[in-house]
Amino acid sequence: MYGPMTSLTVRLPSGDDLPKVGLGTWDIDGATVRASVRAALDGDYTHVDTAEGYQNEGEIGETLADYDREDLFLTSKVLPANLNYESVIESCENSLDRLGTDYLDLYLIHWPNPAISLRETLDAMKTLSDDGKVRNVGVSNFSGYQLSNALHVTDVPIAVNQIEFHPWFQRRDLVDYCQSNGVAVEAAAPLGRTKVLQDSTIQDIAETYDRSPAQIVLKWAVEKDIVVLPKSSSATHIAENGALFDWELDTEDQRRIDELDRNQPVYDTLERDWSREVYGIPE
C-alpha cells in the first residue's frame, strides 16, 4: 500500500509528526558526524537519529546547539544491556546530557533482550514519558511477535518500530502488522548498506528518472509511508537523499522494485552473538 505522495511526515499516536526522512548516524563520529549533521540541518532535514551505542551523541549535541531545538525531531536508543528499570532511566538521562537537550522526541529500545523483562523496560519508558523527558516511545529490531508483546504490556503507545528494510528485505508481514496497529515503520539501512544500489533494476530506473539509485530506493520506501534514515558523510548525498517530495515513481516502477525482494538482510539475521557486551547477559 502506497501512502500520500505529498506527505512529508507520519503522524504518531501522540499527535507529533515524524519526518519521513531522517539522518542516520550509525558508524560515524567525530568531525565526520558533526559535518553530516550540519549539512543535513542546513538543508531540508529536521530529523536526526542516533543511539547511546553509536557513541556519537556528544558530537551531535555540540552541533545541535547551533539550531533551534523546537524545530528538530531527535531520536536516541537505549542499549539492550541497559533495559532494566534503573538503567533505562540512567541511559536516557546520560543521552539527554550528551545531546544537550531536556527531552527526546523519540526514545527506542535498540534491540530486544531476552534476559530482561520487557514490562520492566516499558515501565521505565512510561516514567520517562510521564516526566516529559521522552515524547514518544518505540522499539527497534522487534519482530512481529516481540512487538505484539510490547503492545500488550504497556499503556504507553508504541509509536515506532525501527527495522532493517530495503528492496532486498521487504518484510511485508511485519510492515503490515506495524502499520495496521498504528506503529510507524522506520527503515534502518534503507539502502541495504549501499549493496542494493548496485542492483541492475534500481540502476535502470534511476537512469530513467535522472535520479541517483539512492533516491529511487528511498522514494520507493517513503511512498509506502515508511520513514527512511539514510546515513551519509557526503553533503551532496545528504542533499540528494532528502530531495524526494517533488517527483513520483510510476506504478510500474514501484512494482518492479517490489519484485526485488530476496528476503536478504544485511544485518538483522536470526543468528545472534549473545555474548556481546551490548546484551549484558552473563556467560
Side-chain angles (χ1 to χ4, degrees):
M1 180 64 67
Y2 288 90
M5 299 304 129
T6 57
S7 175
L8 305 181
T9 62
V10 174
R11 180 61 56 89
L12 300 180
S14 65
D16 290 346
D17 289 320
L18 172 61
K20 277 188 179 177
V21 180
L23 180 70
T25 63
W26 172 77
D27 201 32
I28 51 176
D29 56 17
T32 302
V33 77
R34 291 189 192 96
S36 294
V37 172
R38 191 169 299 281
L41 298 183
D42 286 347
D44 293 329
Y45 289 67
T46 58
H47 178 187
V48 177
D49 179 275
T50 185
E52 67 172 337
Y54 295 172
Q55 298 183 29
N56 59 15
E57 290 174 317
E59 292 96 330
I60 291 173
E62 292 169 11
T63 308
L64 295 181
D66 295 333
Y67 299 86
D68 188 343
R69 175 67 181 90
E70 289 300 316
D71 292 338
L72 306 178
F73 193 102
L74 183 58
T75 300
S76 193
K77 313 176 192 77
V78 53
L79 281 168
N82 296 334
L83 296 184
N84 62 289
Y85 184 93
E86 294 82 4
S87 294
V88 172
I89 303 296
E90 182 179 1
S91 286
C92 183
E93 290 175 345
N94 288 339
S95 288
L96 292 173
D97 183 60
R98 288 189 291 266
L99 290 164
T101 183
D102 295 328
Y103 68 95
L104 293 168
D105 296 280
L106 179 64
Y107 197 41
L108 305 179
I109 299 171
H110 203 156
W111 287 90
N113 187 338
I116 299 175
S117 162
L118 182 58
R119 185 188 296 275
E120 179 178 352
T121 303
L122 290 169
D123 282 349
M125 290 289 202
K126 183 177 188 305
T127 297
L128 292 169
S129 178
D130 290 345
D131 290 347
K133 294 177 180 177
V134 170
R135 292 193 175 178
N136 298 277
V137 167
V139 298
S140 181
N141 302 302
F142 271 45
S143 68
Y145 175 73
Q146 291 162 335
L147 177 59
S148 175
N149 291 340
L151 291 169
H152 286 87
V153 299
T154 183
D155 294 330
V156 177
I158 303 299
V160 165
N161 188 12
Q162 185 180 124
I163 60 173
E164 181 180 348
F165 174 89
H166 48 75
W168 287 356
F169 193 48
Q170 297 184 27
R171 316 178 81 172
R172 291 170 185 158
D173 288 346
L174 177 55
V175 170
D176 288 347
Y177 180 74
C178 291
Q179 293 181 337
S180 66
N181 282 276
V183 178
V185 176
E186 289 188 333
L191 306 176
R193 294 189 175 165
T194 74
K195 297 179 188 293
V196 172
L197 304 184
Q198 306 308 313
D199 189 288
S200 60
T201 297
I202 298 298
Q203 293 190 346
D204 181 60
I205 295 172
E207 185 174 349
T208 299
Y209 287 80
D210 193 24
R211 299 281 176 174
S212 72
Q215 285 177 307
I216 297 300
V217 171
L218 297 172
K219 180 64 172 179
W220 166 79
V222 299
E223 288 185 345
K224 292 179 179 289
D225 236 14
I226 290 173
V227 175
V228 293
L229 303 169
K231 178 193 81 170
S232 180
S233 58
S234 160
T236 298
H237 290 163
I238 289 168
E240 287 179 351
N241 292 345
L244 303 177
F245 298 100
D246 59 352
W247 57 284
E248 297 180 5
L249 290 171
D250 69 30
T251 302
E252 174 60 19
D253 290 323
Q254 292 169 347
R255 182 193 62 77
R256 291 174 67 194
I257 302 173
D258 288 346
E259 292 177 351
L260 296 178
D261 194 9
R262 304 178 181 184
N263 195 33
Q264 181 178 328
V266 295
Y267 77 84
D268 192 7
T269 60
L270 293 176
E271 296 77 23
R272 293 273 183 273
D273 179 2
W274 296 108
S275 66
R276 290 179 60 207
E277 187 178 345
V278 294
Y279 291 104
I281 301 174
E283 296 275 344

